[in-house]
PDB file of all heavy atoms in Angstrom:
ATOM      1  N   PRO A   1     -30.713   8.227 183.454  1.00  0.00           N
ATOM      2  CA  PRO A   1     -31.781   9.096 183.023  1.00  0.00           C
ATOM      3  C   PRO A   1     -32.148  10.204 184.019  1.00  0.00           C
ATOM      4  O   PRO A   1     -32.513  11.278 183.842  1.00  0.00           O
ATOM      5  CB  PRO A   1     -32.828   8.186 182.622  1.00  0.00           C
ATOM      6  CG  PRO A   1     -32.587   6.904 183.311  1.00  0.00           C
ATOM      7  CD  PRO A   1     -31.118   6.778 183.388  1.00  0.00           C
ATOM      8  N   ALA A   2     -31.978   9.689 185.289  1.00  0.00           N
ATOM      9  CA  ALA A   2     -32.366  10.704 186.392  1.00  0.00           C
ATOM     10  C   ALA A   2     -31.491  11.826 186.452  1.00  0.00           C
ATOM     11  O   ALA A   2     -31.868  13.030 186.720  1.00  0.00           O
ATOM     12  CB  ALA A   2     -32.337   9.936 187.709  1.00  0.00           C
ATOM     13  N   ALA A   3     -30.236  11.671 186.209  1.00  0.00           N
ATOM     14  CA  ALA A   3     -29.249  12.750 185.991  1.00  0.00           C
ATOM     15  C   ALA A   3     -29.460  13.675 184.955  1.00  0.00           C
ATOM     16  O   ALA A   3     -29.464  14.887 185.131  1.00  0.00           O
ATOM     17  CB  ALA A   3     -27.820  12.286 186.013  1.00  0.00           C
ATOM     18  N   LEU A   4     -29.928  13.125 183.857  1.00  0.00           N
ATOM     19  CA  LEU A   4     -30.242  13.879 182.690  1.00  0.00           C
ATOM     20  C   LEU A   4     -31.506  14.790 183.019  1.00  0.00           C
ATOM     21  O   LEU A   4     -31.598  15.907 182.751  1.00  0.00           O
ATOM     22  CB  LEU A   4     -30.592  13.001 181.449  1.00  0.00           C
ATOM     23  CG  LEU A   4     -31.094  13.731 180.261  1.00  0.00           C
ATOM     24  CD1 LEU A   4     -30.126  14.854 179.753  1.00  0.00           C
ATOM     25  CD2 LEU A   4     -31.466  12.715 179.181  1.00  0.00           C
ATOM     26  N   LEU A   5     -32.548  14.210 183.725  1.00  0.00           N
ATOM     27  CA  LEU A   5     -33.652  14.972 184.016  1.00  0.00           C
ATOM     28  C   LEU A   5     -33.331  16.059 185.019  1.00  0.00           C
ATOM     29  O   LEU A   5     -33.904  17.151 184.900  1.00  0.00           O
ATOM     30  CB  LEU A   5     -34.742  14.164 184.646  1.00  0.00           C
ATOM     31  CG  LEU A   5     -35.424  13.077 183.589  1.00  0.00           C
ATOM     32  CD1 LEU A   5     -36.289  12.133 184.305  1.00  0.00           C
ATOM     33  CD2 LEU A   5     -36.054  13.867 182.481  1.00  0.00           C
ATOM     34  N   ARG A   6     -32.450  15.809 185.872  1.00  0.00           N
ATOM     35  CA  ARG A   6     -31.939  16.901 186.891  1.00  0.00           C
ATOM     36  C   ARG A   6     -31.341  18.108 186.143  1.00  0.00           C
ATOM     37  O   ARG A   6     -31.721  19.283 186.488  1.00  0.00           O
ATOM     38  CB  ARG A   6     -31.116  16.374 187.917  1.00  0.00           C
ATOM     39  CG  ARG A   6     -31.818  15.361 188.896  1.00  0.00           C
ATOM     40  CD  ARG A   6     -30.942  15.212 190.152  1.00  0.00           C
ATOM     41  NE  ARG A   6     -29.673  14.619 189.831  1.00  0.00           N
ATOM     42  CZ  ARG A   6     -29.588  13.118 189.849  1.00  0.00           C
ATOM     43  NH1 ARG A   6     -30.645  12.394 190.188  1.00  0.00           N
ATOM     44  NH2 ARG A   6     -28.439  12.595 189.496  1.00  0.00           N
ATOM     45  N   ALA A   7     -30.534  17.744 185.164  1.00  0.00           N
ATOM     46  CA  ALA A   7     -29.897  18.827 184.402  1.00  0.00           C
ATOM     47  C   ALA A   7     -30.842  19.550 183.593  1.00  0.00           C
ATOM     48  O   ALA A   7     -30.877  20.876 183.443  1.00  0.00           O
ATOM     49  CB  ALA A   7     -28.882  18.148 183.479  1.00  0.00           C
ATOM     50  N   LEU A   8     -31.827  18.876 183.006  1.00  0.00           N
ATOM     51  CA  LEU A   8     -32.823  19.600 182.235  1.00  0.00           C
ATOM     52  C   LEU A   8     -33.734  20.534 183.162  1.00  0.00           C
ATOM     53  O   LEU A   8     -34.157  21.566 182.716  1.00  0.00           O
ATOM     54  CB  LEU A   8     -33.866  18.610 181.443  1.00  0.00           C
ATOM     55  CG  LEU A   8     -33.230  17.746 180.404  1.00  0.00           C
ATOM     56  CD1 LEU A   8     -34.014  16.706 179.945  1.00  0.00           C
ATOM     57  CD2 LEU A   8     -32.714  18.694 179.227  1.00  0.00           C
ATOM     58  N   ALA A   9     -33.988  20.153 184.322  1.00  0.00           N
ATOM     59  CA  ALA A   9     -34.808  20.891 185.237  1.00  0.00           C
ATOM     60  C   ALA A   9     -33.965  22.118 185.685  1.00  0.00           C
ATOM     61  O   ALA A   9     -34.509  23.231 185.770  1.00  0.00           O
ATOM     62  CB  ALA A   9     -35.089  20.086 186.513  1.00  0.00           C
ATOM     63  N   ASP A  10     -32.646  21.926 185.853  1.00  0.00           N
ATOM     64  CA  ASP A  10     -31.833  23.069 186.078  1.00  0.00           C
ATOM     65  C   ASP A  10     -31.808  24.170 185.032  1.00  0.00           C
ATOM     66  O   ASP A  10     -31.585  25.322 185.220  1.00  0.00           O
ATOM     67  CB  ASP A  10     -30.434  22.535 186.412  1.00  0.00           C
ATOM     68  CG  ASP A  10     -30.238  21.852 187.720  1.00  0.00           C
ATOM     69  OD1 ASP A  10     -31.190  21.893 188.496  1.00  0.00           O
ATOM     70  OD2 ASP A  10     -29.279  21.088 187.962  1.00  0.00           O
ATOM     71  N   LEU A  11     -31.908  23.686 183.740  1.00  0.00           N
ATOM     72  CA  LEU A  11     -31.837  24.530 182.599  1.00  0.00           C
ATOM     73  C   LEU A  11     -33.115  25.428 182.314  1.00  0.00           C
ATOM     74  O   LEU A  11     -33.124  26.392 181.674  1.00  0.00           O
ATOM     75  CB  LEU A  11     -31.594  23.707 181.411  1.00  0.00           C
ATOM     76  CG  LEU A  11     -30.176  23.298 181.124  1.00  0.00           C
ATOM     77  CD1 LEU A  11     -30.091  22.075 180.262  1.00  0.00           C
ATOM     78  CD2 LEU A  11     -29.402  24.378 180.595  1.00  0.00           C
ATOM     79  N   LEU A  12     -34.174  25.002 183.038  1.00  0.00           N
ATOM     80  CA  LEU A  12     -35.540  25.640 182.858  1.00  0.00           C
ATOM     81  C   LEU A  12     -35.684  26.871 183.791  1.00  0.00           C
ATOM     82  O   LEU A  12     -35.334  26.755 185.057  1.00  0.00           O
ATOM     83  CB  LEU A  12     -36.615  24.709 183.104  1.00  0.00           C
ATOM     84  CG  LEU A  12     -36.926  23.729 181.953  1.00  0.00           C
ATOM     85  CD1 LEU A  12     -37.939  22.670 182.424  1.00  0.00           C
ATOM     86  CD2 LEU A  12     -37.327  24.363 180.671  1.00  0.00           C
ATOM     87  N   ARG A  13     -36.270  27.892 183.373  1.00  0.00           N
ATOM     88  CA  ARG A  13     -36.639  28.980 184.217  1.00  0.00           C
ATOM     89  C   ARG A  13     -37.824  28.471 185.087  1.00  0.00           C
ATOM     90  O   ARG A  13     -38.618  27.472 184.700  1.00  0.00           O
ATOM     91  CB  ARG A  13     -37.078  30.020 183.439  1.00  0.00           C
ATOM     92  CG  ARG A  13     -36.012  30.759 182.586  1.00  0.00           C
ATOM     93  CD  ARG A  13     -36.458  32.077 181.908  1.00  0.00           C
ATOM     94  NE  ARG A  13     -35.368  32.650 181.017  1.00  0.00           N
ATOM     95  CZ  ARG A  13     -35.348  32.608 179.724  1.00  0.00           C
ATOM     96  NH1 ARG A  13     -36.265  32.144 179.058  1.00  0.00           N
ATOM     97  NH2 ARG A  13     -34.295  33.153 179.118  1.00  0.00           N
ATOM     98  N   PRO A  14     -38.072  29.154 186.249  1.00  0.00           N
ATOM     99  CA  PRO A  14     -39.274  28.784 187.033  1.00  0.00           C
ATOM    100  C   PRO A  14     -40.491  28.911 186.128  1.00  0.00           C
ATOM    101  O   PRO A  14     -40.693  29.929 185.467  1.00  0.00           O
ATOM    102  CB  PRO A  14     -39.188  29.885 188.164  1.00  0.00           C
ATOM    103  CG  PRO A  14     -37.839  30.169 188.365  1.00  0.00           C
ATOM    104  CD  PRO A  14     -37.203  30.161 187.016  1.00  0.00           C
ATOM    105  N   GLY A  15     -41.395  27.940 186.237  1.00  0.00           N
ATOM    106  CA  GLY A  15     -42.539  27.878 185.388  1.00  0.00           C
ATOM    107  C   GLY A  15     -42.249  27.358 183.988  1.00  0.00           C
ATOM    108  O   GLY A  15     -43.211  27.069 183.191  1.00  0.00           O
ATOM    109  N   GLY A  16     -41.070  26.909 183.749  1.00  0.00           N
ATOM    110  CA  GLY A  16     -40.786  26.325 182.434  1.00  0.00           C
ATOM    111  C   GLY A  16     -41.327  24.987 182.277  1.00  0.00           C
ATOM    112  O   GLY A  16     -41.755  24.181 183.073  1.00  0.00           O
ATOM    113  N   ALA A  17     -41.362  24.578 180.956  1.00  0.00           N
ATOM    114  CA  ALA A  17     -42.056  23.309 180.471  1.00  0.00           C
ATOM    115  C   ALA A  17     -40.940  22.316 179.955  1.00  0.00           C
ATOM    116  O   ALA A  17     -40.044  22.726 179.239  1.00  0.00           O
ATOM    117  CB  ALA A  17     -42.972  23.495 179.558  1.00  0.00           C
ATOM    118  N   LEU A  18     -41.056  21.101 180.315  1.00  0.00           N
ATOM    119  CA  LEU A  18     -40.207  19.975 179.863  1.00  0.00           C
ATOM    120  C   LEU A  18     -41.069  18.967 179.114  1.00  0.00           C
ATOM    121  O   LEU A  18     -42.066  18.487 179.623  1.00  0.00           O
ATOM    122  CB  LEU A  18     -39.542  19.383 181.038  1.00  0.00           C
ATOM    123  CG  LEU A  18     -38.714  18.042 180.683  1.00  0.00           C
ATOM    124  CD1 LEU A  18     -37.586  18.345 179.675  1.00  0.00           C
ATOM    125  CD2 LEU A  18     -38.079  17.458 181.888  1.00  0.00           C
ATOM    126  N   VAL A  19     -40.744  18.823 177.841  1.00  0.00           N
ATOM    127  CA  VAL A  19     -41.403  17.792 176.984  1.00  0.00           C
ATOM    128  C   VAL A  19     -40.390  16.678 176.744  1.00  0.00           C
ATOM    129  O   VAL A  19     -39.397  16.850 176.313  1.00  0.00           O
ATOM    130  CB  VAL A  19     -41.924  18.408 175.543  1.00  0.00           C
ATOM    131  CG1 VAL A  19     -42.545  17.415 174.831  1.00  0.00           C
ATOM    132  CG2 VAL A  19     -42.765  19.594 175.874  1.00  0.00           C
ATOM    133  N   LEU A  20     -40.980  15.441 176.990  1.00  0.00           N
ATOM    134  CA  LEU A  20     -40.230  14.160 176.845  1.00  0.00           C
ATOM    135  C   LEU A  20     -40.937  13.235 176.025  1.00  0.00           C
ATOM    136  O   LEU A  20     -42.211  13.190 175.854  1.00  0.00           O
ATOM    137  CB  LEU A  20     -39.959  13.559 178.252  1.00  0.00           C
ATOM    138  CG  LEU A  20     -39.321  14.377 179.254  1.00  0.00           C
ATOM    139  CD1 LEU A  20     -39.559  13.912 180.699  1.00  0.00           C
ATOM    140  CD2 LEU A  20     -37.821  14.250 179.116  1.00  0.00           C
ATOM    141  N   SER A  21     -40.161  12.417 175.329  1.00  0.00           N
ATOM    142  CA  SER A  21     -40.857  11.124 174.770  1.00  0.00           C
ATOM    143  C   SER A  21     -39.894  10.003 174.833  1.00  0.00           C
ATOM    144  O   SER A  21     -38.639  10.108 174.813  1.00  0.00           O
ATOM    145  CB  SER A  21     -41.114  11.394 173.148  1.00  0.00           C
ATOM    146  OG  SER A  21     -39.931  11.365 172.424  1.00  0.00           O
ATOM    147  N   THR A  22     -40.438   8.760 175.154  1.00  0.00           N
ATOM    148  CA  THR A  22     -39.606   7.637 175.464  1.00  0.00           C
ATOM    149  C   THR A  22     -40.477   6.427 175.226  1.00  0.00           C
ATOM    150  O   THR A  22     -41.661   6.523 174.782  1.00  0.00           O
ATOM    151  CB  THR A  22     -39.024   7.761 176.907  1.00  0.00           C
ATOM    152  OG1 THR A  22     -37.965   6.621 176.926  1.00  0.00           O
ATOM    153  CG2 THR A  22     -40.031   7.690 177.937  1.00  0.00           C
ATOM    154  N   LEU A  23     -39.942   5.289 175.616  1.00  0.00           N
ATOM    155  CA  LEU A  23     -40.643   4.095 175.363  1.00  0.00           C
ATOM    156  C   LEU A  23     -40.955   3.386 176.638  1.00  0.00           C
ATOM    157  O   LEU A  23     -40.139   3.368 177.629  1.00  0.00           O
ATOM    158  CB  LEU A  23     -39.723   3.085 174.545  1.00  0.00           C
ATOM    159  CG  LEU A  23     -39.682   3.428 173.042  1.00  0.00           C
ATOM    160  CD1 LEU A  23     -38.371   2.984 172.469  1.00  0.00           C
ATOM    161  CD2 LEU A  23     -40.892   2.798 172.214  1.00  0.00           C
ATOM    162  N   ASN A  24     -42.159   2.838 176.767  1.00  0.00           N
ATOM    163  CA  ASN A  24     -42.586   2.235 178.012  1.00  0.00           C
ATOM    164  C   ASN A  24     -41.953   0.792 178.036  1.00  0.00           C
ATOM    165  O   ASN A  24     -41.767   0.099 177.024  1.00  0.00           O
ATOM    166  CB  ASN A  24     -44.069   2.095 178.074  1.00  0.00           C
ATOM    167  CG  ASN A  24     -44.644   1.901 179.383  1.00  0.00           C
ATOM    168  OD1 ASN A  24     -43.957   1.489 180.312  1.00  0.00           O
ATOM    169  ND2 ASN A  24     -45.901   2.029 179.561  1.00  0.00           N
ATOM    170  N   ARG A  25     -41.580   0.357 179.299  1.00  0.00           N
ATOM    171  CA  ARG A  25     -41.059  -1.040 179.364  1.00  0.00           C
ATOM    172  C   ARG A  25     -42.191  -1.999 179.619  1.00  0.00           C
ATOM    173  O   ARG A  25     -42.498  -2.398 180.704  1.00  0.00           O
ATOM    174  CB  ARG A  25     -40.099  -1.057 180.675  1.00  0.00           C
ATOM    175  CG  ARG A  25     -39.122  -2.227 180.547  1.00  0.00           C
ATOM    176  CD  ARG A  25     -38.020  -2.256 181.524  1.00  0.00           C
ATOM    177  NE  ARG A  25     -38.428  -2.215 182.953  1.00  0.00           N
ATOM    178  CZ  ARG A  25     -38.543  -1.120 183.687  1.00  0.00           C
ATOM    179  NH1 ARG A  25     -38.160   0.150 183.270  1.00  0.00           N
ATOM    180  NH2 ARG A  25     -38.828  -1.272 184.978  1.00  0.00           N
ATOM    181  N   THR A  26     -42.810  -2.464 178.496  1.00  0.00           N
ATOM    182  CA  THR A  26     -43.849  -3.291 178.493  1.00  0.00           C
ATOM    183  C   THR A  26     -43.585  -4.440 177.386  1.00  0.00           C
ATOM    184  O   THR A  26     -42.812  -4.221 176.487  1.00  0.00           O
ATOM    185  CB  THR A  26     -45.207  -2.598 178.098  1.00  0.00           C
ATOM    186  OG1 THR A  26     -45.027  -2.043 176.735  1.00  0.00           O
ATOM    187  CG2 THR A  26     -45.579  -1.556 179.212  1.00  0.00           C
ATOM    188  N   PRO A  27     -44.268  -5.607 177.536  1.00  0.00           N
ATOM    189  CA  PRO A  27     -44.169  -6.631 176.361  1.00  0.00           C
ATOM    190  C   PRO A  27     -44.534  -5.926 175.073  1.00  0.00           C
ATOM    191  O   PRO A  27     -43.915  -6.359 174.060  1.00  0.00           O
ATOM    192  CB  PRO A  27     -45.162  -7.594 176.824  1.00  0.00           C
ATOM    193  CG  PRO A  27     -45.211  -7.581 178.292  1.00  0.00           C
ATOM    194  CD  PRO A  27     -45.016  -5.977 178.673  1.00  0.00           C
ATOM    195  N   GLN A  28     -45.550  -5.067 175.136  1.00  0.00           N
ATOM    196  CA  GLN A  28     -46.002  -4.526 173.773  1.00  0.00           C
ATOM    197  C   GLN A  28     -44.881  -3.618 173.144  1.00  0.00           C
ATOM    198  O   GLN A  28     -44.633  -3.788 172.045  1.00  0.00           O
ATOM    199  CB  GLN A  28     -47.275  -3.744 174.016  1.00  0.00           C
ATOM    200  CG  GLN A  28     -48.486  -4.434 174.524  1.00  0.00           C
ATOM    201  CD  GLN A  28     -48.678  -4.414 176.035  1.00  0.00           C
ATOM    202  OE1 GLN A  28     -47.611  -4.452 176.731  1.00  0.00           O
ATOM    203  NE2 GLN A  28     -49.799  -4.299 176.499  1.00  0.00           N
TER     204      GLN A  28
END
């Protein structure tokens, strides 16, 4: 996932926004 986030950061213009959704690693 870290490599994916680096690629997404590279794709953004300065000042760009990244929106993510995922699942927390919790018992719930």
Side-chain angles (χ1 to χ4, degrees):
L4 174 58
L5 291 177
R6 289 193 297 270
L8 293 171
D10 290 342
L11 282 158
L12 287 171
R13 298 188 177 105
L18 173 61
V19 180
L20 302 154
S21 74
T22 190
L23 287 153
N24 200 344
R25 197 168 66 257
T26 63
Q28 296 93 321

